[in-house]
Structures are given as C-alpha cells and as structure tokens.
Amino acid sequence: MEGKEPIKVKLSTVILLIIILILAGGMVYFVIQNNKLKKSKGDNTNQIEALQTQVKEAENKVTEIQESETNTIVNTNTNKDKSTNTSSVKDKYDEITKKIDLNEKEIFVVTDVEKNDGKYTLKGRIYTDYTLTKSEYDDAKNTGKITINGVKYTVNKDEEGEGLTLYAKKDYLEYHIGKDDNGKYVLTSSTQQAICYKATEIYKKIVVDENTKCVHTNYNGSIDEEEVLKDTTVKDYFKDFKNINENNLEPGELLPNYNFEFENGKCTKVTIRTIFI
C-alpha cells in the first residue's frame, strides 16, 4: 500500500485565514456594538424627546399664566380708567324735579342754555347775598384794595364806623361793605336795588320742551306790585340768551330768579322774576 502524501499548507495561507477570521470577528463585534449603540441612542433620543415635550408644556403653561396676568392687569386698568372717566365726567348739576325751595336771600339763576331737537337744557346755580369773611374784610381794610369777580377796587374806610367804600375808578362809588343785623360783613351796591349776589357751589339743571310756557315778571317793592314783562315760550324767551360766568357778572347786577312749576312730574311753566325798587 502506498502511503498518502501529507497535505502541505503554505504559511501565507494560514496567515490569510487568520486575518480573515480576525476581520470576520471584528465585523461581528462591530455589528453587535453598533446595534447596542443604536438601541442606546434610541433610548436617549426617546428620553430627550420626552424632556423636550415636558419643557414645551412648561413653557406653554408659563405663557398662559403670563397672558392671564396681563389680561387681568389690562382689565383692572380698563376698569380703573372707566371708573376714573366716569368720576371725572360726573355731572355736577342736580336734576330739578320740583319747584326749587329758596329762602328770601337766595335765587336760582340760569347761566347756560343748550338747545337740542326741540328740547332746552337750562343749567344754573344758586346765588345768595354777597357776604365776606372777617379775614376778607380785614385784608381789604388793611391793604386798601380788594378784587371781586376779577375786578380790582380801591378801598376807603368810612369816617365813622367799620364800613368800607369800594371804588373801581377814582371818586366813583361802586360798592359798600358793612355789617348787617346778624353781624355778617355784607357787600351792597350803590344802585337803587343795593342787593349784591354771590354764586354758591349748588348747581342745578332741567330739560324742558321748547313750547313750555315762560313768564317773566318784575316786582316793584316800593308800590308792592308785580307786573308781567313777557308771557311767551321757552324757545322765544331764550333765543337771544347769553351764557353767564363770573368774569362777566357784576355782583350788583340785576339778576332774575328762575323757578319751575310742575304737573304730574312734568315742568309746565318756567317763571322768571326780577326785583326792581
């Protein structure tokens, strides 16, 4: 029997096989590690996405809170503005719903008239006799001057008593200040009427139809008689009316006293009364 020849393997072949095995093993290891890395990366990505979602939700919540606070502030400011506007434009005129109750020293004077679509709004204020405080009297007496309704007067002391005489121009008597029976310092004019009026802070108004009856009378105290000067309507009486303010009103000016008569809650007559002695 013939013996078989031994298989001869070249060294280079062995080395090549070893290299192939090493490379194959490396590739397997790389694949395994890569899979692990992807899995780990996937887990990290999911965690990051979850955190991002939570952050986004938190940001949205903060935004909602900020918007809510802003709206609250805006609404509060708006309400304050409305309240302020309402307060600033509050009508100082009380509505006249019945005949005005006045004492013998008071009169109600219409100072402003507004016309609108057949209606007349008559606005005015209560005037009373012109009195001065002790401080005002002393100041006029000591300084020799006084200002009334924007007009400057020179003041002279009476030769007898505590009276003061007021001159707007040299040697032209305008007014006199003296004490009345109640000890008050009262301003009187040099006119026959003598009464001087001073505006109070009591404001009133009334809205009447243009066809409302309007009667103007004059009382003559010397003969205790009253005469009708004009019997007409509101529209006719106030057609040439000029608004009154303190800068164009003399204290001793002949002011009419306005009042109103009502029937069933509606003004049916406007009365105007002047006093001329």
Side-chain angles (χ1 to χ4, degrees):
M1 175 183 285
E2 296 180 4
K4 294 183 178 178
E5 293 183 6
I7 300 172
K8 296 179 180 180
V9 180
K10 294 180 179 181
L11 180 60
S12 60
T13 302
V14 173
I15 294 173
L16 180 61
L17 288 173
I18 291 172
I19 293 173
I20 291 172
L21 288 174
I22 291 173
L23 291 174
M27 290 179 67
V28 171
Y29 178 79
F30 176 77
V31 170
I32 293 171
Q33 292 300 318
N34 188 51
N35 288 337
K36 287 182 178 180
L37 183 61
K38 286 183 178 180
K39 185 175 183 302
S40 176
K41 185 177 180 181
D43 292 341
N44 289 338
T45 301
N46 291 337
Q47 291 177 2
I48 292 172
E49 289 178 351
L51 288 173
Q52 288 176 336
T53 300
Q54 292 177 6
V55 171
K56 189 65 177 177
E57 290 177 351
E59 288 178 347
N60 292 337
K61 188 66 176 176
V62 170
T63 301
E64 289 178 2
I65 293 173
Q66 289 176 335
E67 289 178 350
S68 175
E69 291 177 348
T70 300
N71 290 335
T72 301
I73 293 172
V74 170
N75 290 336
T76 302
N77 289 338
T78 301
N79 290 335
K80 285 182 179 179
D81 290 341
K82 288 181 179 178
S83 176
T84 302
N85 290 337
T86 301
S87 177
S88 65
V89 300
K90 182 180 179 181
D91 197 347
K92 65 182 177 181
Y93 293 89
D94 292 328
E95 196 76 32
I96 299 172
T97 58
K98 61 181 180 179
K99 187 174 182 178
I100 304 174
D101 185 20
L102 302 169
N103 62 42
E104 61 180 9
K105 294 184 177 181
E106 294 177 328
I107 60 174
F108 175 70
V109 180
V110 172
T111 58
D112 299 270
V113 176
E114 298 174 2
K115 309 170 188 178
N116 183 26
D117 195 24
K119 300 286 185 179
Y120 279 64
T121 300
L122 310 180
K123 296 181 177 181
R125 60 201 298 190
I126 301 292
Y127 282 73
T128 188
D129 58 332
Y130 204 116
T131 60
L132 295 90
T133 64
K134 179 68 162 56
S135 177
E136 290 172 327
Y137 168 82
D138 288 341
D139 188 58
K141 181 179 180 181
N142 296 330
T143 63
K145 57 186 178 181
I146 190 173
T147 300
I148 297 176
N149 290 356
V151 180
K152 296 180 180 181
Y153 296 89
T154 300
V155 178
N156 289 343
K157 301 177 186 178
D158 290 351
E159 293 182 0
E160 298 180 1
E162 298 181 83
L164 303 177
T165 303
L166 280 57
Y167 299 87
K169 298 178 181 179
K170 187 177 181 180
D171 299 328
Y172 182 74
L173 172 63
E174 291 280 356
Y175 296 103
H176 184 268
I177 299 174
K179 278 188 177 182
D180 64 5
D181 295 338
N182 297 317
K184 292 182 179 181
Y185 293 99
V186 180
L187 180 72
T188 56
S189 75
S190 58
T191 63
Q192 188 176 4
Q193 176 183 261
I195 302 172
C196 288
Y197 291 107
K198 185 176 186 178
T200 70
E201 295 304 309
I202 302 175
Y203 295 83
K204 294 180 179 293
K205 71 175 181 180
I206 187 172
V207 180
V208 295
D209 294 330
E210 62 180 13
N211 294 323
T212 303
K213 188 177 181 62
C214 192
V215 180
H216 183 194
T217 61
N218 180 70
Y219 175 71
N220 189 332
S222 61
I223 58 176
D224 197 23
E225 186 177 278
E226 191 167 49
E227 63 174 326
V228 175
L229 300 179
K230 197 168 187 179
D231 187 346
T232 183
T233 63
V234 167
K235 180 180 179 180
D236 182 63
Y237 185 84
F238 289 101
K239 64 182 179 181
D240 298 320
F241 183 85
K242 293 182 180 180
N243 290 349
I244 297 172
N245 60 61
E246 294 305 301
N247 293 326
N248 63 13
L249 179 65
E250 285 285 336
E253 194 169 328
L254 188 64
L255 294 175
N257 182 17
Y258 293 79
N259 219 317
F260 309 90
E261 296 182 9
F262 288 80
E263 287 185 14
N264 299 321
K266 181 179 180 180
C267 177
T268 56
K269 183 180 179 180
V270 178
T271 60
I272 304 102
R273 189 182 193 228
T274 52
I275 300 175
F276 184 77
I277 300 174

